[in-house]
C-alpha cells in the first residue's frame, strides 16, 4: 500500500482502515495500490472524507475505463454492504454505505 504525499489519516475511522486492509490483494494484483485522499483535499460540502469515512484510490495505472470498472466490481464484491464504491473521473472513491449509516449513525452529525 502506498500513500500519496500530503494525505492526512488523522481521525480516519476503523471501518475505513478495515476496508483498506481488505482490498489490498485486489489493488496489488491490479498493479498499484495508492491512496490519494483520506481526510485531506477538497470534497463536496457533505462529504464523508471530512469525518474519516471515505478514501480515494489512484486508477491511472488501469489505463482503460473497462479495467477501472472491473476493479471496482471486485472491490464491491470484497467490501460488501457496508461500503459504496464509486468510480470517479480519475479515481475510485470508497465510503461507508447508507446501510452502515442506518446501523451505526451518521458520523457527519456526531463529529
Ligand atoms: Zn473521494
Amino acid at each position: 500500500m502506498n500513500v500519496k504525499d500530503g494525505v492526512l489519516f488523522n481521525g480516519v475511522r476503523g471501518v475505513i482502515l478495515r476496508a483498506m486492509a481488505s482490498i489490498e490483494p485486489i489493488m496489488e494484483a491490479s498493479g498499484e495500490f495508492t491512496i490519494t485522499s483520506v481526510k485531506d483535499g477538497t470534497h463536496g460540502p457533505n462529504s464523508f472524507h471530512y469525518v474519516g469515512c471515505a478514501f480515494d484510490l489512484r486508477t491511472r495505472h488501469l489505463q482503460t475505463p473497462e479495467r477501472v470498472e472491473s476493479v471496482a466490481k471486485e472491490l464491491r464484491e470484497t467490501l460488501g454492504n457496508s461500503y459504496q464504491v464509486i468510480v470517479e473521473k480519475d479515481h475510485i472513491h470508497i465510503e461507508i454505505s447508507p446501510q452502515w449509516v442506518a446501523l451505526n449513525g451518521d458520523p457527519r452529525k456526531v463529529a
Side-chain angles (χ1 to χ4, degrees):
M1 185 193 304
N2 301 307
V3 179
K4 188 177 145 186
D5 280 351
V7 170
L8 300 177
F9 270 75
N10 57 318
V12 66
R13 302 296 178 105
V15 63
I16 289 302
L17 293 174
R18 286 192 292 279
M20 290 173 179
S22 68
I23 68 171
E24 182 159 28
I26 295 169
M27 293 312 297
E28 294 292 354
S30 84
E32 184 177 346
F33 181 13
T34 300
I35 293 167
T36 59
S37 178
V38 184
K39 289 244 317 198
D40 52 287
T42 303
H43 310 279
N46 216 21
S47 173
F48 281 121
H49 277 283
Y50 300 124
V51 291
C53 289
F55 66 106
D56 295 334
L57 293 171
R58 181 168 288 162
T59 53
R60 68 185 180 208
H61 66 290
L62 299 172
Q63 298 182 332
T64 67
E66 292 75 18
R67 279 287 292 144
V68 174
E69 285 297 341
S70 168
V71 168
K73 183 168 178 279
E74 283 186 77
L75 294 174
R76 288 184 190 109
E77 287 166 2
T78 292
L79 288 170
N81 292 339
S82 293
Y83 302 92
Q84 278 197 298
V85 176
I86 300 167
V87 174
E88 303 280 6
K89 186 166 169 250
D90 61 356
H91 64 278
I92 290 174
H93 169 95
I94 298 176
E95 67 179 31
I96 53 172
S97 67
Q99 293 97 315
W100 190 94
V101 170
L103 282 172
N104 299 283
D106 190 332
R108 295 169 299 192
K109 298 204 168 82
V110 297

